[in-house]
Amino acid sequence: MACTIPLSPSSSSSSFLLSHTTIFRFRSPRHLSTSSSRRRLSVSVSASSSSSLQALIFDCDGVILESEHLHRQAYNEAFAHFNVRCSSSASQPLNWDLHFYDQLQNQIGGGKPKMRWYFKEHGWPSSTIFEKPPEDDEGRAKIIDTLQDWKTERYKEIIKSGTVEPRPGVLRLMDEAKAAGKKLAVCSAATKSSVILCLENLIGIERFQGLDCFLAGDDVKQKKPDPSIYLTASKKLGIPEKDCLVVEDSVIGLQAATKAGMSCVITYTSSTADQDFKDAIAIYPDLSNIRLKDLELLLQNAVIAN
């Protein structure tokens, strides 16, 4: 019996459009509309604006690649490998089902915090790591570290299989930003080694080495929605927060960006589409029809509105 208990009642998917429609949101009374054929922004912005897009910052999981189903697969394989059982009566190893994992990953950033939260809520498990559930902090840290290390290695194997592709429009937008002299960064809450592997395999070695800043979960003490990772990126890039634009896929990432004083656009996935992105300056199903100039206009308008 799998130890899967919902975090909270699921929100209605009818509250958010899943169709291929671009939605623009601003923290002002003005609303913008788009052409259904190109989903392009059409807005007149003063050339004298005191802010401009100087740095484009991407999240990795969900933005550069749609990866959450791959992470869930790797976690469940880790639980099975170590025979992780949350109660003595469980007939099968722990298995996070799709619905539960969608909620979990959208509320808690980082793999170790996910497992720590789960085991605190549902009981520390028995496993081949410890025959009995660990009762002290050292034992609990060991089981978390062991599971995360195995899961990370399995996730790397999946990425290296060659079956995973970057999300539409990401590579073109990265290339446009670099060609225009913009700073380019990737900030991910995931383990550094796994993010490096993803980037090398999905955006290529040359693009990865050309990043002006790369930060992973290992580089900051607090995970998203804490703004630490984006504040650190701003300092490393030497770019004011107001001149940075973040691309995220979840409300956790959106909160991290806005708390850091940065504007954020959302490119949602099937697992995040029904979240409340009211603080995003634009919402896209993907980046396939989005150009750098669209994002520049968005950021300028957002600054003027505030």
Side-chain angles (χ1 to χ4, degrees):
M1 180 176 181
C3 303
T4 53
I5 301 177
L7 289 170
S8 60
S10 60
S11 57
S12 172
S13 59
S14 62
S15 65
F16 197 96
L17 295 178
L18 296 182
S19 62
H20 281 60
T21 304
T22 304
I23 302 173
F24 292 95
R25 299 184 188 274
F26 291 89
R27 294 182 288 275
S28 76
R30 294 170 58 190
H31 296 279
L32 302 176
S33 61
T34 61
S35 165
S36 59
S37 61
R38 294 294 294 170
R39 301 197 291 271
R40 291 293 185 84
L41 176 64
S42 175
V43 62
S44 175
V45 180
S46 170
S48 63
S49 172
S50 62
S51 178
S52 62
L53 196 163
Q54 297 183 37
L56 188 58
I57 306 176
F58 290 84
D59 180 28
C60 185
D61 292 335
V63 173
I64 295 176
L65 74 159
E66 195 156 354
S67 59
E68 292 308 328
H69 64 294
L70 305 178
H71 283 290
R72 185 177 73 90
Q73 174 187 338
Y75 277 117
N76 286 336
E77 290 185 18
F79 299 148
H81 179 79
F82 291 102
N83 197 26
V84 174
R85 298 175 187 245
C86 293
S87 74
S88 58
S89 62
S91 60
Q92 298 291 330
L94 173 63
N95 186 285
W96 284 341
D97 66 31
L98 178 60
H99 175 70
F100 174 81
Y101 189 76
D102 279 351
Q103 295 181 68
L104 180 64
Q105 64 98 6
N106 287 323
Q107 294 186 39
I108 302 173
K112 292 182 181 180
K114 283 182 176 66
M115 286 189 286
R116 187 169 293 278
W117 176 89
Y118 188 90
F119 295 143
K120 281 183 178 179
E121 290 292 314
H122 307 303
W124 288 87
S126 61
S127 65
T128 56
I129 305 167
F130 292 110
E131 185 177 348
K132 295 181 179 180
E135 296 182 353
D136 58 18
D137 290 342
E138 183 179 356
R140 290 170 176 176
K142 181 178 179 180
I143 195 170
I144 291 288
D145 290 346
T146 302
L147 288 169
Q148 183 65 30
D149 288 347
W150 195 96
K151 175 263 174 184
T152 298
E153 291 306 310
R154 177 63 187 125
Y155 181 74
K156 289 179 181 179
E157 291 175 359
I158 297 171
I159 295 297
K160 287 190 291 187
S161 69
T163 61
V164 183
E165 297 288 339
R167 293 192 69 194
V170 170
L171 301 186
R172 176 189 44 73
L173 196 54
M174 283 185 168
D175 291 343
E176 283 187 17
K178 290 298 286 186
K182 311 298 183 184
K183 298 288 187 180
L184 192 61
V186 172
C187 293
S188 171
T191 306
K192 194 161 197 168
S193 60
S194 67
V195 182
I196 290 174
L197 183 77
C198 284
L199 295 178
E200 288 181 343
N201 281 271
L202 293 171
I203 72 173
I205 299 290
E206 185 175 347
R207 287 191 188 88
F208 175 57
Q209 293 179 342
L211 293 175
D212 298 289
C213 176
F214 163 61
L215 295 172
D218 316 56
D219 295 314
V220 291
K221 291 183 179 180
Q222 300 296 323
K223 307 289 187 183
K224 301 174 186 180
D226 187 274
S228 297
I229 196 165
Y230 288 125
L231 292 172
T232 302
S234 174
K235 291 178 182 178
K236 285 184 174 291
L237 291 167
I239 302 295
E241 290 87 350
K242 68 182 179 65
D243 296 326
C244 297
L245 182 63
V246 175
V247 184
E248 276 281 359
D249 70 300
S250 71
V251 72
I252 287 179
L254 172 61
Q255 290 169 350
T258 55
K259 287 177 184 177
M262 297 180 181
S263 294
C264 182
V265 299
I266 291 292
T267 171
Y268 58 83
T269 67
S270 59
S271 66
T272 64
D274 61 353
Q275 292 183 9
D276 183 1
F277 296 126
K278 65 180 184 298
D279 291 326
I281 63 172
I283 304 170
Y284 307 113
D286 59 51
L287 299 172
S288 57
N289 288 316
I290 307 307
R291 300 288 176 173
L292 182 65
K293 66 180 181 180
D294 299 329
L295 300 183
E296 290 177 313
L297 290 172
L298 276 169
L299 183 59
Q300 288 173 356
N301 189 78
V303 171
I304 291 171
N306 287 318

